Amino acid sequence: MVWTSPTSPVGGLVVGGRRRSSGFTLMELLLVAAILGLAAAIAAPRVAAFAPRVHLGISARQVIDVVRLAQVTAANSGQRAYVAYDLTSEAARVLGSEPENDESRLSEYLSEGVCISAVRPSGQAEVTSGSARIVVFPGGYPWPHEVELRTAAGSHVTIRFRGLTASIDEGSQ
């Protein structure tokens, strides 16, 4: 019988007269695979439930970016610029100085599963269908308004534009 140490360069440990090679058995590998599969099955619904909130956050940033571009456009040109919210195609666009001109400088389509459910211009009626246009004055100040984004699951955020600032309020289902 040959005896080798566990760290022997010859390799392996002699157990009961037989040399055991280093590595994993098929049973050990199957057990690890089963444990990983179980962990993935438990985590998957939580990850899927988190996705709509991520899409809402991305869409809110897209809307803010469109208004920011309109502010820069108005400030640089010295003329009014317009933001058009299209509640049917779920897009926000920056228009030039002519509100009737549908040629947009930038269109942002919202993330999949997110829609613009309402636009609330300050001092005016709420818009829940069709489109709404918001003026941005030459100094870069947009007309105060709120934009509500919603998912099919009922999660929503409200973006409030006041002066040069924008804030995002998260809602729940």
Side-chain angles (χ1 to χ4, degrees), residues 130-169:
S131 64
R133 293 177 190 231
I134 301 295
V135 66
V136 179
F137 297 101
Y141 291 92
W143 186 266
H145 66 289
E146 297 178 355
V147 178
E148 184 176 289
L149 306 178
R150 186 172 296 276
T151 65
S155 298
H156 69 278
V157 296
T158 302
I159 309 162
R160 291 184 171 83
F161 294 96
R162 302 286 184 263
L164 294 175
T165 63
S167 63
I168 301 173
D169 295 329

Side-chain angles (χ1 to χ4, degrees), residues 39-86:
I42 291 171
R46 292 180 186 218
V47 171
F50 186 68
R53 297 185 83 194
V54 170
H55 289 296
L56 271 175
I58 291 169
S59 295
R61 294 310 283 140
Q62 289 172 317
V63 169
I64 291 171
D65 289 346
V66 166
V67 173
R68 294 283 183 249
L69 180 61
Q71 289 175 306
V72 169
T73 300
N76 287 341
S77 69
Q79 298 179 347
R80 293 179 177 184
Y82 294 86
V83 176
Y85 296 105
D86 190 345

Side-chain angles (χ1 to χ4, degrees), residues 62-126:
Q62 289 172 317
V63 169
I64 291 171
D65 289 346
V66 166
V67 173
R68 294 283 183 249
L69 180 61
Q71 289 175 306
V72 169
T73 300
N76 287 341
S77 69
Q79 298 179 347
R80 293 179 177 184
Y82 294 86
V83 176
Y85 296 105
D86 190 345
L87 282 73
T88 55
S89 69
E90 298 150 4
R93 298 180 295 156
V94 176
L95 304 177
S97 59
E98 299 296 323
E100 296 80 23
N101 181 1
D102 276 343
E103 184 178 322
S104 64
R105 297 176 185 216
L106 171 75
S107 290
E108 284 283 353
Y109 291 91
L110 304 182
S111 295
E112 185 178 340
V114 178
C115 67
I116 301 172
S117 60
V119 177
R120 299 181 195 96
S122 181
Q124 298 176 17
E126 176 178 89

